[in-house]
Amino acid sequence: MGEKVNPSCVNMTGWRSQWRLVLLNSLTCGLEICVAAGITYVPPLLLEAGVEEQYMTMVLGIGPVLGLLFIPLIGSASDHCNSSYGRRRPFIWLLSLGVLLALFIIPHADVLAANLSWGSTRRNQALQVGLLILGVGLLDFCGQVCFTPLEALLSDLYREQDDCGQAFAMFSFMVSLGGCVGYLLPALDWSGGLLSFYLGGQAECLFSLLILIFVISVLVTMKVSEEPLSTVEPGPSEPGRCFPRSCCYLFQCKLRSLKSGPLMCLLRTCWSMTPVIYRSYCHVPRVMQQLCLAQLCSWMGVMSFMLFYTDFVGEGLYEGVPSAAPGTALRQRYDEGIRMGSLGLFLQCATSTFFSLVMSRLVRLFGSRTVYLSSMVCFTISALFICLSKSVLLVTSMSALTGFAYATLQTLPYTLTCHYHKEKEVYMQNSKTKKMHTNGFTITRDSVCLTLDNGPGDLNHKIGTSNGHVPHSRDEPEYYPPVHQNAAPLGLESEDFEKRGVGLDFAILDSTFLLSQVFPTLFMGMIVQFTESVTAYIASSAIFGAIGIYFATHIIFDQKDLRS
């Protein structure tokens, strides 16, 4: 079994390697542009279609909820996929098609509904709302989930710790850059141009541009990425040796190639491996548990800030009223606050872009622990200043500083996960290859075999080879591992850790990001209604940031943390 040498798996020094990394992450940037611009433009379309505001937030939560259900399946399926196109790229293609379909449905929902409703006005409106909900859910779901195979692809191509750090720093940079462009595109007036005249309006022009950007980014990434494939010497029953001896033989070869495709791989995973995947999804190694808990609390602080910052500025800082009649002073103050809040989020993305560029250098100078903790401390202090200050300049400056935490959360957890998987015998403490250090000697679990001697109750060490390992003999009594109370052997969980793929753990990290969006949308409204102040939005983000700092102190950054 050999592995194809990939040109990406080389030393990343030099501008050629950096430029290749930019091209490899072009889909990351394109995805973030489409998701940011699309989701920003969707609420007005839903309101125009007749969706009430209380149901609109529920529609925006469809994508994250579906992502929580399917991300572990897709992440694990990509770990076990044997497609000739690679492990990750087939899933990237499928999810990209979903994004393209959503980008086409959303601006043309009214036209599609008119053509499918056969003249019924009531059916037309219901069908338009249904198509919009379908498009929004598909865009949010496919757009968010597609990041998981992209992250796993980077991990496969750049295995060394330094290279992996640079790869994910570039990943974070492209996400931040895509967010900047995505937030700016809906703010531009596209209705006055010649292109808008031919395409039909502001929404059609904007989404046509998004489709063009996304198609180019997909093609560039797929062209540049060449996955390291595990190739088996072809035998007579394998697709590599399919000679045209008969039509039936060709048909069998075609069936084998279809079975290794991404869709069949995902279906087989859903059918046969769902219990195993979700058991692995729940029984994670201790290092991943601590990392995910800190990541969840940190993301909840950052997302609570990002989701409600503009509303806080409009109502709390500018003292505007969103329900006031258009043209009144209260409504004008609110609209002005929304624009200033959007500027603050844009500055946050710009700051995140800068810190993504220097993240590798910061980690080399100060270490991962210092960078992670300092970013969350900076975020929490900034949120507290925003809560207490009434100065627009100070609030906007503090919102820009939160980009440091945003860049860190998109980079360091993924590089740490790559490091854990590279040294499973050290960090995956329940794996079979875990070594026990006793009195200065390193021994493995199989180094010592305890057998019953002829004497009753006498346990002796079986003398083996000079290196301490014992050759197995069929005459020896079998060894039965201890059993838990639920009758599961102790080795079962270690089997899961040993076979655990990096795609599944990336899926768990991405699930923390999705959960951080679900929780604030469910509970923040009740908290603000109880406190009767929109300052509760930012105060909650500061509290979550402080909790994230506490759990971040328990993250395993290196082997010294394991000893302590």
Side-chain angles (χ1 to χ4, degrees), residues 108-276:
H108 301 100
D110 53 347
V111 178
L112 294 174
N115 292 329
L116 297 175
S117 61
W118 297 289
S120 175
T121 305
R122 186 174 182 179
R123 187 184 301 168
N124 183 9
Q125 184 178 7
L127 192 57
Q128 181 182 355
V129 172
L131 288 173
L132 274 176
I133 293 175
L134 173 64
V136 173
L138 196 61
L139 176 62
D140 206 6
F141 168 72
C142 293
Q144 299 287 356
V145 173
C146 193
F147 284 110
T148 298
L150 283 172
E151 293 155 357
L153 177 62
L154 282 181
S155 174
D156 293 341
L157 297 178
Y158 300 97
R159 298 181 181 274
E160 296 298 326
Q161 186 174 5
D162 292 339
D163 294 347
C164 185
Q166 292 184 42
F168 279 99
M170 184 61 69
F171 175 87
S172 177
F173 167 76
M174 297 299 277
V175 170
S176 302
L177 181 62
C180 291
V181 178
Y183 288 130
L184 281 180
L185 286 179
L188 301 177
D189 186 11
W190 300 94
S191 59
L194 185 63
L195 188 61
S196 177
F197 174 76
Y198 284 105
L199 293 176
Q202 168 89 1
E204 289 80 2
C205 184
L206 172 62
F207 279 86
S208 298
L209 180 62
L210 293 179
I211 290 175
L212 179 63
I213 293 173
F214 187 71
V215 169
I216 293 175
S217 64
V218 171
L219 294 178
V220 169
T221 295
M222 293 297 103
K223 178 67 176 178
V224 173
S225 63
E226 296 178 8
E227 291 190 67
L229 300 176
S230 297
T231 57
V232 184
E233 292 298 327
S237 62
E238 294 175 357
R241 294 288 299 273
C242 291
F243 298 107
R245 292 183 290 185
S246 66
C247 295
C248 295
Y249 196 76
L250 288 175
F251 181 70
Q252 291 176 357
C253 294
K254 186 66 176 176
L255 283 179
R256 291 192 194 101
S257 63
L258 288 175
K259 286 181 180 179
S260 64
L263 187 58
M264 293 301 298
C265 186
L266 181 58
L267 291 178
R268 288 200 306 269
T269 301
C270 295
W271 177 257
S272 62
M273 296 182 61
T274 301
V276 179

Side-chain angles (χ1 to χ4, degrees), residues 472-494:
H472 180 70
S473 173
R474 291 188 179 182
D475 297 333
E476 297 174 0
E478 293 182 357
Y479 170 73
Y480 297 94
V483 177
H484 288 296
Q485 293 180 354
N486 58 0
L490 284 174
L492 179 62
E493 196 171 319
S494 65

Side-chain angles (χ1 to χ4, degrees), residues 317-395:
L317 200 60
Y318 278 76
E319 298 180 352
V321 178
S323 58
T328 59
L330 293 176
R331 180 60 180 270
Q332 289 178 353
R333 285 206 300 266
Y334 178 78
D335 293 339
E336 186 179 354
I338 293 296
R339 288 191 294 270
M340 184 58 65
S342 300
L343 175 62
L345 292 179
F346 170 76
L347 293 176
Q348 182 199 52
C349 288
T351 307
S352 175
T353 303
F354 168 76
F355 278 104
S356 299
L357 290 175
V358 300
M359 185 62 65
S360 299
R361 185 172 299 178
L362 289 176
V363 171
R364 285 196 298 268
L365 290 176
F366 304 105
S368 299
R369 174 183 291 275
T370 302
V371 173
Y372 194 108
L373 290 175
S374 61
S375 68
M376 291 309 302
V377 169
C378 181
F379 171 81
T380 305
I381 294 175
S382 300
L384 289 175
F385 271 103
I386 292 173
C387 287
L388 300 175
S389 177
K390 291 294 183 180
S391 170
V392 176
L393 180 61
L394 181 60
V395 167

Side-chain angles (χ1 to χ4, degrees), residues 390-409:
K390 291 294 183 180
S391 170
V392 176
L393 180 61
L394 181 60
V395 167
T396 305
S397 302
M398 291 296 105
S399 66
L401 287 179
T402 59
F404 183 22
Y406 188 75
T408 302
L409 296 179

Side-chain angles (χ1 to χ4, degrees), residues 18 81 100 121 191 270 287 309 312 399-400 509 523:
Q18 294 297 325
C81 184
L100 281 176
T121 305
S191 59
C270 295
V287 290
Y309 173 73
F312 161 77
S399 66
L509 286 176
F523 299 109

